[in-house]
Amino acid sequence: MPPITFRHARATDLPTILTLLADDAIARSRTGYAEEVTPAIDAAFKEISADPNNEIIVGEQDGQVVATLHLTYIPGLGRGGLRRALVEEVRVRSDLRGQRIGEALMVDAMERARARGCALIQLTTDKRRHEAQRFYARLGFVASHEGMKRPL
Amino acid sequence: MPPITFRHARATDLPTILTLLADDAIARSRTGYAEEVTPAIDAAFKEISADPNNEIIVGEQDGQVVATLHLTYIPGLGRGGLRRALVEEVRVRSDLRGQRIGEALMVDAMERARARGCALIQLTTDKRRHEAQRFYARLGFVASHEGMKRPL
């Protein structure tokens, strides 16, 4: 496998990131799905880039963005002041699956979270994503919680 | 039921908030559990108070803090730039349960999240908390996701 480097996303990566986010049947089934950089997405990216507690990470291989995730670092009062990392919007380009790119992406995210003082990393994954759940379990995640959501 | 008002937590509420967080068998079973305001908890509270995307809310009844939760507002690139609210550390004083204080607390949180432009609110709850899951389901939350966590 060609080497992958992980770095913060730049504004010029946004179209590719949106393509990665859209390359997913469950994501496409949801409301608000967008494949173009709308003003709302541009504003969200600017806000994330300016916030030290939010990071969009991309994996680059042969000069192409092939994977992405969103990390949020969250201070907390529980468990003695435990800081946690939340992972959202994990994607690997679908034609490149099975090459352990996702594993490298998540290992990089866990290293970033540790470096930021997090003692816990967490995510929610749609119950229909059985393969994703096996993937996260192999990386040491435990499905100890119900992930409950509500539109507002 | 005496009226409850919801407001941002102050530093002077911290001992009561920690007592609420500790008033829970599952929380007590976890590592790092603390009942006193340690330097780490004090630092976390200061960081949360300075961060517009994090809020500790308390419910006050008859001059006493009887409920708390932690809200994090998270911008995102998915779903057209959807902003979500994450809820953590939800507690109602155990001797006051059954008075719909939790419902008022969560309704207040949903109003705050909507006012901040969130189109989704989400949380994870330990799979052993069956009563909590029924409570959230009554409020419109759907257990559509696995909540997966990993210590770092």
Coordinates of all heavy atoms in Angstrom, one line a residue, chain A residues 30-32 40-41 44 47-48 51 53 70 72 74-76 78-81 83-84 86 88-89 110 113 118-127 133 139-152, chain B residues 30-32 40-41 44 47-48 51 53 70 72 74-76 78-81 83-84 86 88-89 110 113 118-127 133 139-152:
Chain A
R30 N -30.3 10.2 4.4 CA -30.6 11.2 5.4 C -31.0 12.5 4.8 O -30.5 12.9 3.7 CB -29.5 11.3 6.4 CG -29.3 10.1 7.2 CD -28.2 10.3 8.3 NE -28.1 9.1 9.1 CZ -26.9 8.5 9.4 NH1 -25.8 9.1 9.1 NH2 -26.9 7.4 10.1
T31 N -31.7 13.3 5.5 CA -32.1 14.7 5.1 C -30.8 15.6 5.1 O -29.9 15.4 5.9 CB -33.2 15.3 6.0 OG1 -32.7 15.2 7.3 CG2 -34.5 14.5 5.8
G32 N -30.8 16.5 4.2 CA -29.8 17.6 4.3 C -28.5 17.2 3.6 O -27.6 17.9 3.6
A40 N -23.5 27.1 3.9 CA -23.6 26.5 5.3 C -22.4 25.6 5.5 O -21.8 25.6 6.6 CB -24.9 25.7 5.5
I41 N -22.0 24.8 4.5 CA -20.8 23.9 4.7 C -19.5 24.7 4.8 O -18.7 24.5 5.6 CB -20.8 22.9 3.6 CG1 -22.0 21.9 3.7 CG2 -19.4 22.1 3.6 CD1 -22.1 20.9 2.6
A44 N -19.4 26.2 8.2 CA -19.1 25.1 9.2 C -17.6 24.8 9.2 O -16.9 24.7 10.2 CB -19.9 23.9 9.0
E47 N -15.7 27.6 10.9 CA -15.9 27.5 12.3 C -15.0 26.4 12.9 O -14.3 26.6 13.9 CB -17.3 27.3 12.7 CG -17.6 27.3 14.2 CD -19.0 27.1 14.6 OE1 -19.9 27.2 13.7 OE2 -19.2 26.7 15.8
I48 N -15.0 25.2 12.3 CA -14.2 24.1 12.7 C -12.7 24.4 12.7 O -12.0 24.2 13.7 CB -14.5 22.9 11.9 CG1 -15.9 22.4 12.1 CG2 -13.5 21.8 12.1 CD1 -16.4 21.4 11.1
D51 N -11.6 26.6 15.6 CA -11.9 26.1 16.9 C -10.9 25.0 17.3 O -10.8 24.0 16.7 CB -13.3 25.4 16.9 CG -13.7 24.9 18.3 OD1 -12.9 24.8 19.2 OD2 -14.9 24.6 18.5
N53 N -10.9 22.9 19.5 CA -11.5 21.6 19.9 C -12.2 20.8 18.8 O -12.8 19.8 19.1 CB -12.5 21.9 21.1 CG -11.7 22.1 22.4 OD1 -10.6 21.5 22.6 ND2 -12.3 22.8 23.3
H70 N -13.9 13.5 11.6 CA -14.0 14.7 12.4 C -13.8 14.4 13.8 O -14.5 13.5 14.3 CB -15.4 15.3 12.1 CG -15.7 16.6 12.9 ND1 -16.9 17.3 12.6 CD2 -15.1 17.2 13.9 CE1 -16.9 18.3 13.4 NE2 -15.9 18.3 14.2
T72 N -13.7 15.9 17.8 CA -14.1 16.9 18.7 C -13.5 16.6 20.1 O -13.8 15.5 20.6 CB -15.6 17.1 18.8 OG1 -16.1 17.3 17.5 CG2 -16.0 18.3 19.7
I74 N -13.6 17.2 24.0 CA -14.6 17.7 24.9 C -14.1 17.6 26.4 O -14.0 16.5 26.9 CB -15.9 16.9 24.7 CG1 -16.3 17.0 23.3 CG2 -17.0 17.5 25.7 CD1 -17.5 16.1 22.9
P75 N -13.9 18.7 27.1 CA -13.6 18.7 28.5 C -14.8 18.3 29.2 O -16.0 18.4 28.8 CB -13.2 20.1 28.8 CG -14.0 21.0 27.8 CD -14.1 20.1 26.5
G76 N -14.6 17.7 30.4 CA -15.8 17.3 31.2 C -15.5 17.3 32.7 O -14.4 17.2 33.1
G78 N -17.0 14.9 34.7 CA -17.2 13.5 35.2 C -15.8 12.8 35.3 O -14.8 13.2 34.6
R79 N -15.8 11.7 36.0 CA -14.6 10.9 36.1 C -13.3 11.7 36.3 O -12.3 11.5 35.7 CB -14.5 10.0 34.8 CG -15.7 9.1 34.6 CD -15.7 8.4 33.3 NE -14.7 7.4 33.2 CZ -14.6 6.5 32.2 NH1 -15.5 6.5 31.3 NH2 -13.6 5.7 32.2
G80 N -13.4 12.6 37.3 CA -12.3 13.3 37.7 C -11.8 14.4 36.8 O -10.6 14.8 36.8
G81 N -12.7 14.8 35.9 CA -12.3 15.8 34.9 C -11.8 15.2 33.6 O -10.9 15.7 33.0
R83 N -11.3 14.3 29.9 CA -11.5 14.8 28.6 C -11.7 13.7 27.6 O -11.0 12.7 27.6 CB -10.2 15.6 28.2 CG -10.3 16.3 26.8 CD -9.0 17.0 26.4 NE -8.6 17.9 27.5 CZ -8.9 19.2 27.6 NH1 -9.7 19.7 26.6 NH2 -8.5 19.9 28.6
R84 N -12.7 13.8 26.8 CA -13.0 12.8 25.8 C -12.9 13.3 24.4 O -13.0 14.5 24.1 CB -14.4 12.2 26.0 CG -15.5 13.0 25.7 CD -16.8 12.4 26.1 NE -17.1 12.4 27.5 CZ -17.8 11.5 28.2 NH1 -18.3 10.5 27.6 NH2 -17.9 11.6 29.5
L86 N -14.6 12.8 20.6 CA -15.8 12.3 19.8 C -15.4 12.2 18.4 O -14.8 13.2 17.8 CB -17.0 13.2 20.0 CG -18.2 12.9 19.2 CD1 -18.9 11.7 19.7 CD2 -19.2 14.1 19.2
E88 N -16.7 11.7 14.5 CA -17.9 11.7 13.6 C -17.4 11.7 12.1 O -16.2 12.0 11.9 CB -18.7 13.0 13.8 CG -19.3 13.2 15.1 CD -20.7 12.6 15.3 OE1 -21.2 12.0 14.3 OE2 -21.2 12.6 16.4
E89 N -18.3 11.3 11.2 CA -18.1 11.5 9.8 C -16.8 10.7 9.3 O -15.9 11.3 8.7 CB -18.0 13.0 9.4 CG -19.1 13.8 9.9 CD -20.4 13.6 9.2 OE1 -20.6 12.6 8.5 OE2 -21.4 14.4 9.4
M110 N -6.7 8.3 17.4 CA -6.4 7.9 18.8 C -5.1 8.6 19.3 O -5.1 9.1 20.4 CB -6.4 6.4 19.0 CG -7.8 5.8 18.8 SD -8.0 4.1 19.3 CE -7.5 3.3 17.7
A113 N -5.9 12.2 19.9 CA -6.7 12.4 21.1 C -5.9 12.2 22.4 O -6.0 13.0 23.3 CB -7.9 11.3 21.1
C118 N -6.9 13.3 26.1 CA -8.1 12.6 26.2 C -7.8 11.2 26.8 O -6.9 10.5 26.4 CB -8.8 12.4 24.8 SG -9.3 14.0 24.1
A119 N -8.7 10.8 27.7 CA -8.6 9.4 28.3 C -9.6 8.5 27.7 O -9.7 7.3 28.1 CB -8.7 9.5 29.8
L120 N -10.5 9.0 26.8 CA -11.5 8.2 26.2 C -11.8 8.7 24.8 O -11.8 9.9 24.6 CB -12.8 8.3 27.1 CG -14.0 7.5 26.8 CD1 -13.8 6.0 27.2 CD2 -15.3 8.0 27.5
I121 N -12.1 7.7 23.9 CA -12.6 8.1 22.6 C -13.9 7.4 22.3 O -14.1 6.3 22.8 CB -11.5 7.8 21.5 CG1 -11.9 8.4 20.2 CG2 -11.2 6.3 21.4 CD1 -10.7 8.5 19.2
Q122 N -14.8 8.1 21.7 CA -16.1 7.5 21.5 C -16.7 7.9 20.2 O -16.3 9.0 19.6 CB -17.1 7.9 22.7 CG -17.5 9.4 22.7 CD -18.3 9.8 23.9 OE1 -17.9 9.4 25.1 NE2 -19.4 10.5 23.7
L123 N -17.7 7.1 19.8 CA -18.4 7.4 18.5 C -19.7 6.7 18.6 O -20.0 5.8 19.4 CB -17.6 6.9 17.3 CG -17.1 5.5 17.3 CD1 -18.2 4.6 16.8 CD2 -15.8 5.3 16.5
T124 N -20.6 7.1 17.7 CA -21.8 6.4 17.5 C -21.8 5.9 16.0 O -21.3 6.6 15.1 CB -23.1 7.2 17.7 OG1 -23.2 8.3 16.8 CG2 -23.2 7.7 19.2
T125 N -22.3 4.7 15.8 CA -22.4 4.2 14.4 C -23.8 3.5 14.2 O -24.3 2.8 15.1 CB -21.2 3.2 14.2 OG1 -21.3 2.7 12.9 CG2 -21.2 2.1 15.2
D126 N -24.4 3.9 13.1 CA -25.7 3.4 12.8 C -25.8 1.9 13.0 O -24.9 1.1 12.6 CB -26.0 3.7 11.3 CG -27.5 3.6 11.0 OD1 -28.0 2.4 11.0 OD2 -28.1 4.6 10.7
K127 N -26.8 1.4 13.6 CA -26.9 0.0 14.0 C -26.9 -0.9 12.7 O -26.6 -2.1 12.8 CB -28.2 -0.3 14.8 CG -28.0 0.2 16.2 CD -29.1 -0.2 17.2 CE -28.8 0.3 18.6 NZ -29.8 -0.1 19.6
Q133 N -19.1 -1.8 12.9 CA -19.1 -2.2 14.3 C -18.0 -3.3 14.5 O -17.2 -3.2 15.5 CB -20.4 -2.7 14.8 CG -21.4 -1.5 14.9 CD -22.8 -1.8 14.6 OE1 -23.3 -2.9 14.8 NE2 -23.5 -0.8 14.0
L139 N -10.5 -2.5 16.8 CA -9.7 -1.5 17.3 C -9.8 -1.2 18.8 O -9.3 -0.3 19.3 CB -10.0 -0.2 16.5 CG -9.5 -0.2 15.1 CD1 -10.1 1.0 14.3 CD2 -8.0 -0.2 15.0
G140 N -10.6 -2.0 19.5 CA -10.7 -1.9 20.9 C -11.9 -1.2 21.4 O -12.1 -1.0 22.7
F141 N -12.8 -0.7 20.5 CA -14.0 0.0 21.0 C -15.0 -1.1 21.5 O -15.2 -2.2 20.9 CB -14.7 0.7 19.8 CG -13.9 2.0 19.5 CD1 -12.8 2.0 18.7 CD2 -14.5 3.2 19.9 CE1 -12.1 3.2 18.4 CE2 -13.8 4.4 19.5 CZ -12.6 4.4 18.8
V142 N -15.8 -0.7 22.5 CA -16.8 -1.6 23.1 C -18.2 -0.9 22.9 O -18.3 0.2 23.2 CB -16.5 -1.9 24.5 CG1 -17.6 -2.8 25.1 CG2 -15.2 -2.6 24.7
A143 N -19.1 -1.7 22.4 CA -20.5 -1.2 22.2 C -21.3 -1.2 23.5 O -22.3 -1.9 23.6 CB -21.2 -2.0 21.1
S144 N -20.8 -0.5 24.5 CA -21.4 -0.5 25.8 C -22.6 0.4 25.9 O -23.3 0.3 26.9 CB -20.3 0.0 26.8 OG -19.8 1.3 26.4
H145 N -22.8 1.3 25.0 CA -23.9 2.3 25.1 C -24.9 2.2 23.9 O -24.6 1.8 22.8 CB -23.2 3.7 25.1 CG -22.5 4.0 26.4 ND1 -21.5 3.3 26.9 CD2 -22.8 5.0 27.3 CE1 -21.1 3.8 28.1 NE2 -21.8 4.8 28.4
E146 N -26.1 2.7 24.2 CA -27.0 3.0 23.2 C -26.7 4.4 22.6 O -26.5 5.3 23.4 CB -28.5 3.0 23.7 CG -29.0 1.6 24.1 CD -29.2 0.7 22.9 OE1 -29.4 1.2 21.7 OE2 -29.3 -0.5 23.1
G147 N -26.7 4.5 21.3 CA -26.5 5.9 20.7 C -27.9 6.4 20.3 O -28.6 5.8 19.4
M148 N -28.4 7.4 21.0 CA -29.8 7.9 20.8 C -29.7 9.3 20.2 O -29.0 10.1 20.7 CB -30.5 7.8 22.2 CG -30.6 6.4 22.8 SD -31.7 6.3 24.2 CE -33.3 6.3 23.5
K149 N -30.6 9.5 19.3 CA -30.6 10.8 18.5 C -32.0 11.2 18.3 O -32.9 10.5 18.3 CB -29.9 10.6 17.2 CG -28.5 9.9 17.3 CD -27.5 10.3 16.2 CE -26.2 9.6 16.5 NZ -25.1 10.2 15.8
R150 N -32.1 12.6 18.2 CA -33.4 13.2 18.0 C -33.3 14.4 17.1 O -32.5 15.3 17.4 CB -34.0 13.6 19.3 CG -35.4 14.1 19.3 CD -35.8 14.8 20.6 NE -37.2 15.1 20.7 CZ -37.8 16.1 20.1 NH1 -37.1 16.9 19.2 NH2 -39.1 16.4 20.3
P151 N -34.0 14.5 16.0 CA -34.0 15.7 15.2 C -34.6 16.9 16.0 O -35.5 16.6 16.9 CB -34.9 15.4 14.0 CG -35.2 13.9 14.1 CD -35.0 13.5 15.5
L152 N -34.2 18.1 15.7 CA -34.7 19.2 16.4 C -35.4 20.1 15.5 O -35.1 20.2 14.3 CB -33.5 20.0 17.1 CG -32.9 19.3 18.3 CD1 -31.7 20.2 18.7 CD2 -33.8 19.2 19.4
Chain B
R30 N -16.9 3.4 37.6 CA -15.9 3.7 36.6 C -14.7 4.3 37.2 O -14.7 4.8 38.3 CB -16.5 4.7 35.6 CG -17.6 4.1 34.7 CD -18.1 5.1 33.7 NE -19.1 4.4 32.9 CZ -20.3 5.0 32.5 NH1 -20.5 6.3 32.9 NH2 -21.2 4.4 31.8
T31 N -13.6 4.2 36.5 CA -12.3 4.8 37.0 C -12.4 6.3 37.0 O -13.1 6.9 36.2 CB -11.1 4.3 36.1 OG1 -11.5 4.7 34.7 CG2 -10.9 2.8 36.2
G32 N -11.6 6.9 37.9 CA -11.4 8.3 37.9 C -12.5 9.1 38.5 O -12.5 10.3 38.6
A40 N -7.9 19.1 38.5 CA -8.3 18.8 37.1 C -9.8 19.1 36.8 O -10.1 19.6 35.7 CB -8.1 17.3 36.9
I41 N -10.6 18.9 37.8 CA -12.1 19.3 37.6 C -12.2 20.8 37.6 O -13.0 21.3 36.7 CB -12.9 18.7 38.7 CG1 -13.0 17.1 38.6 CG2 -14.3 19.3 38.8 CD1 -13.6 16.4 39.7
A44 N -11.1 21.8 34.1 CA -12.2 21.5 33.1 C -13.3 22.5 33.2 O -13.8 22.9 32.2 CB -12.7 20.1 33.4
E47 N -12.3 25.7 31.6 CA -12.3 25.6 30.1 C -13.7 25.6 29.5 O -13.9 26.2 28.5 CB -11.5 24.3 29.8 CG -11.3 24.1 28.3 CD -10.6 22.9 27.8 OE1 -10.0 22.2 28.7 OE2 -10.7 22.5 26.7
I48 N -14.6 24.8 30.2 CA -16.0 24.7 29.7 C -16.6 26.1 29.7 O -17.3 26.6 28.8 CB -16.8 23.7 30.5 CG1 -16.3 22.3 30.2 CG2 -18.3 23.9 30.3 CD1 -16.7 21.3 31.2
D51 N -15.6 28.4 26.9 CA -15.8 27.8 25.5 C -17.3 28.0 25.1 O -18.2 27.4 25.8 CB -15.4 26.4 25.5 CG -15.6 25.7 24.1 OD1 -16.2 26.4 23.2 OD2 -15.1 24.6 23.9
N53 N -18.9 26.7 22.9 CA -19.6 25.5 22.5 C -19.8 24.4 23.6 O -20.2 23.3 23.3 CB -18.8 24.9 21.3 CG -19.0 25.6 20.0 OD1 -20.1 26.2 19.8 ND2 -18.1 25.6 19.1
H70 N -24.5 18.4 30.6 CA -23.4 19.1 29.9 C -23.8 19.0 28.4 O -24.1 18.0 27.9 CB -22.1 18.3 30.1 CG -20.9 18.9 29.4 ND1 -19.6 18.4 29.6 CD2 -20.8 19.8 28.4 CE1 -18.8 19.1 28.8 NE2 -19.4 19.9 28.1
T72 N -22.7 20.1 24.5 CA -21.6 20.5 23.5 C -22.2 20.8 22.2 O -22.9 19.9 21.7 CB -20.5 19.5 23.4 OG1 -20.0 19.1 24.7 CG2 -19.3 19.9 22.6
I74 N -21.7 21.2 18.2 CA -20.6 20.7 17.3 C -21.0 21.0 15.9 O -21.9 20.5 15.3 CB -20.4 19.2 17.5 CG1 -20.1 18.9 19.0 CG2 -19.3 18.7 16.6 CD1 -20.1 17.4 19.3
P75 N -20.2 21.9 15.3 CA -20.4 22.2 13.8 C -20.0 21.0 13.1 O -19.2 20.2 13.5 CB -19.5 23.4 13.5 CG -18.4 23.3 14.6 CD -19.0 22.6 15.8
G76 N -20.5 20.8 11.8 CA -20.2 19.6 11.1 C -20.3 19.9 9.6 O -21.0 20.8 9.1
G78 N -21.2 17.2 7.4 CA -22.2 16.3 6.9 C -23.6 16.9 6.9 O -23.9 17.9 7.6
R79 N -24.4 16.3 6.1 CA -25.9 16.7 6.1 C -26.0 18.2 5.8 O -26.8 18.9 6.5 CB -26.6 16.2 7.3 CG -26.5 14.7 7.5 CD -27.1 14.2 8.8 NE -28.5 14.4 8.9 CZ -29.3 13.9 9.8 NH1 -28.7 13.1 10.7 NH2 -30.6 14.1 9.8
G80 N -25.2 18.7 4.9 CA -25.4 20.1 4.5 C -24.8 21.1 5.5 O -25.2 22.2 5.4
G81 N -24.0 20.6 6.4 CA -23.4 21.5 7.4 C -24.2 21.5 8.6 O -24.4 22.5 9.3
R83 N -25.3 21.3 12.3 CA -24.8 21.4 13.7 C -25.6 20.5 14.6 O -26.8 20.4 14.6 CB -25.0 22.9 14.1 CG -24.3 23.2 15.5 CD -24.6 24.7 15.9 NE -24.2 25.6 14.9 CZ -22.9 26.1 14.8 NH1 -22.1 25.9 15.7 NH2 -22.6 26.9 13.8
R84 N -24.8 19.8 15.5 CA -25.5 18.9 16.4 C -25.2 19.3 17.9 O -24.2 20.0 18.1 CB -25.1 17.5 16.2 CG -23.7 17.1 16.5 CD -23.4 15.7 16.1 NE -23.2 15.6 14.7 CZ -23.4 14.4 13.9 NH1 -23.9 13.4 14.5 NH2 -23.2 14.4 12.6
L86 N -24.5 17.6 21.6 CA -24.2 16.3 22.3 C -24.5 16.6 23.8 O -24.1 17.6 24.4 CB -22.7 16.0 22.2 CG -22.2 14.8 23.0 CD1 -22.7 13.5 22.5 CD2 -20.6 14.8 23.0
E88 N -24.1 15.1 27.7 CA -23.3 14.2 28.6 C -23.7 14.5 30.0 O -24.2 15.6 30.3 CB -21.8 14.4 28.4 CG -21.3 14.1 27.0 CD -21.0 12.6 26.8 OE1 -21.1 11.8 27.8 OE2 -20.6 12.2 25.7
E89 N -23.4 13.6 30.9 CA -23.5 13.8 32.3 C -24.8 14.3 32.8 O -24.9 15.4 33.5 CB -22.4 14.8 32.8 CG -21.0 14.5 32.2 CD -20.3 13.3 32.9 OE1 -21.0 12.6 33.7 OE2 -19.1 13.1 32.7
M110 N -33.0 20.9 24.8 CA -33.4 20.9 23.4 C -33.7 22.3 22.9 O -33.3 22.7 21.8 CB -34.6 20.0 23.2 CG -34.2 18.5 23.3 SD -35.5 17.3 22.8 CE -36.4 17.2 24.3
A113 N -30.4 24.0 22.4 CA -29.7 23.5 21.1 C -30.4 24.1 19.9 O -29.7 24.5 19.0 CB -29.8 21.9 21.1
C118 N -28.8 24.1 16.2 CA -28.6 22.6 16.1 C -29.9 22.0 15.5 O -31.0 22.3 15.9 CB -28.3 21.9 17.4 SG -26.8 22.5 18.1
A119 N -29.7 21.0 14.5 CA -30.8 20.3 13.9 C -30.9 18.9 14.4 O -31.8 18.1 14.0 CB -30.7 20.3 12.4
L120 N -30.0 18.6 15.3 CA -30.0 17.2 15.9 C -29.4 17.3 17.3 O -28.5 18.1 17.6 CB -29.0 16.3 15.0 CG -28.9 14.8 15.3 CD1 -30.2 14.1 14.9 CD2 -27.7 14.2 14.6
I121 N -30.0 16.4 18.2 CA -29.4 16.3 19.5 C -29.1 14.8 19.7 O -29.9 14.0 19.3 CB -30.3 16.9 20.6 CG1 -29.6 17.0 22.0 CG2 -31.6 16.2 20.7 CD1 -30.3 17.9 23.0
Q122 N -28.0 14.5 20.4 CA -27.6 13.1 20.5 C -27.0 12.9 21.9 O -26.5 13.8 22.5 CB -26.7 12.7 19.4 CG -25.3 13.3 19.4 CD -24.5 12.9 18.2 OE1 -25.0 12.9 17.0 NE2 -23.3 12.4 18.4
L123 N -27.0 11.6 22.3 CA -26.4 11.2 23.5 C -26.1 9.7 23.5 O -26.6 9.0 22.6 CB -27.3 11.5 24.7 CG -28.7 11.0 24.7 CD1 -28.8 9.6 25.2 CD2 -29.6 11.9 25.5
T124 N -25.2 9.3 24.4 CA -25.1 7.8 24.5 C -25.4 7.5 26.0 O -25.2 8.3 26.9 CB -23.6 7.3 24.3 OG1 -22.7 8.0 25.2 CG2 -23.2 7.7 22.8
T125 N -26.1 6.4 26.2 CA -26.5 6.0 27.5 C -26.1 4.5 27.7 O -26.3 3.7 26.8 CB -28.0 6.3 27.8 OG1 -28.3 5.8 29.1 CG2 -28.9 5.6 26.8
D126 N -25.5 4.2 28.8 CA -25.0 2.9 29.1 C -26.2 1.9 28.9 O -27.3 2.1 29.3 CB -24.6 2.8 30.6 CG -23.8 1.6 30.9 OD1 -24.4 0.4 30.8 OD2 -22.6 1.7 31.2
K127 N -25.9 0.8 28.2 CA -26.9 -0.2 27.9 C -27.6 -0.7 29.1 O -28.8 -1.2 29.0 CB -26.4 -1.3 27.0 CG -26.1 -0.9 25.6 CD -25.7 -2.0 24.6 CE -25.5 -1.4 23.2 NZ -25.1 -2.3 22.2
Q133 N -33.2 4.8 29.0 CA -33.5 4.6 27.6 C -35.0 4.8 27.3 O -35.4 5.5 26.3 CB -33.0 3.3 27.1 CG -31.5 3.3 26.9 CD -30.9 2.0 27.2 OE1 -31.4 0.9 26.9 NE2 -29.7 2.0 27.9
L139 N -39.1 11.1 25.1 CA -38.8 12.5 24.6 C -38.5 12.6 23.1 O -38.0 13.6 22.6 CB -37.6 13.1 25.4 CG -37.9 13.3 26.9 CD1 -36.6 13.6 27.7 CD2 -38.8 14.5 27.0
G140 N -38.6 11.4 22.4 CA -38.4 11.5 21.0 C -37.1 11.0 20.5 O -36.8 11.0 19.3
F141 N -36.2 10.6 21.4 CA -34.9 10.0 21.0 C -35.1 8.6 20.5 O -35.9 7.8 21.0 CB -33.9 10.0 22.2 CG -33.4 11.4 22.5 CD1 -34.1 12.3 23.3 CD2 -32.1 11.7 22.2 CE1 -33.6 13.5 23.6 CE2 -31.6 13.0 22.5 CZ -32.3 13.9 23.2
V142 N -34.3 8.3 19.4 CA -34.4 6.9 18.8 C -33.0 6.3 19.0 O -32.0 6.9 18.7 CB -34.8 7.0 17.3 CG1 -34.8 5.6 16.7 CG2 -36.1 7.7 17.2
A143 N -33.0 5.0 19.5 CA -31.8 4.3 19.7 C -31.3 3.7 18.4 O -31.2 2.5 18.2 CB -32.0 3.2 20.8
S144 N -31.0 4.5 17.4 CA -30.6 4.1 16.1 C -29.2 3.7 15.9 O -28.8 3.1 15.0 CB -30.9 5.3 15.1 OG -30.2 6.5 15.6
H145 N -28.4 4.1 16.9 CA -26.9 3.9 16.8 C -26.4 3.0 18.0 O -26.9 3.0 19.0 CB -26.2 5.2 16.8 CG -26.4 6.0 15.5 ND1 -27.6 6.4 15.0 CD2 -25.5 6.4 14.6 CE1 -27.5 7.0 13.9 NE2 -26.2 7.1 13.6
E146 N -25.2 2.4 17.7 CA -24.4 1.8 18.7 C -23.5 2.9 19.3 O -22.9 3.7 18.5 CB -23.5 0.7 18.2 CG -24.3 -0.6 17.8 CD -24.8 -1.4 18.9 OE1 -24.4 -1.2 20.1 OE2 -25.7 -2.2 18.7
G147 N -23.4 3.0 20.6 CA -22.5 3.9 21.2 C -21.2 3.1 21.6 O -21.3 2.3 22.5
M148 N -20.1 3.4 20.9 CA -18.9 2.6 21.1 C -17.8 3.5 21.7 O -17.7 4.7 21.3 CB -18.5 2.0 19.8 CG -19.5 1.1 19.1 SD -19.0 0.2 17.7 CE -17.9 -1.1 18.4
K149 N -17.2 3.0 22.7 CA -16.2 3.8 23.5 C -14.9 2.9 23.7 O -15.0 1.7 23.7 CB -16.8 4.2 24.9 CG -18.2 4.8 24.7 CD -18.5 5.8 25.8 CE -19.8 6.5 25.5 NZ -20.1 7.6 26.3
R150 N -13.8 3.6 23.8 CA -12.5 3.0 24.1 C -11.7 3.9 25.0 O -11.5 5.1 24.7 CB -11.8 2.8 22.7 CG -10.5 2.1 22.8 CD -9.8 2.3 21.5 NE -8.6 1.4 21.3 CZ -7.5 1.5 22.0 NH1 -7.3 2.5 22.8 NH2 -6.5 0.6 21.7
P151 N -11.1 3.3 26.0 CA -10.2 4.1 26.9 C -8.9 4.3 26.0 O -8.6 3.5 25.2 CB -9.9 3.1 28.0 CG -10.8 2.0 27.9 CD -11.3 1.9 26.5
L152 N -8.3 5.4 26.4 CA -7.0 5.8 25.7 C -5.8 5.7 26.7 O -6.0 5.9 27.8 CB -7.1 7.2 25.1 CG -8.0 7.3 23.9 CD1 -8.1 8.7 23.4 CD2 -7.5 6.4 22.7

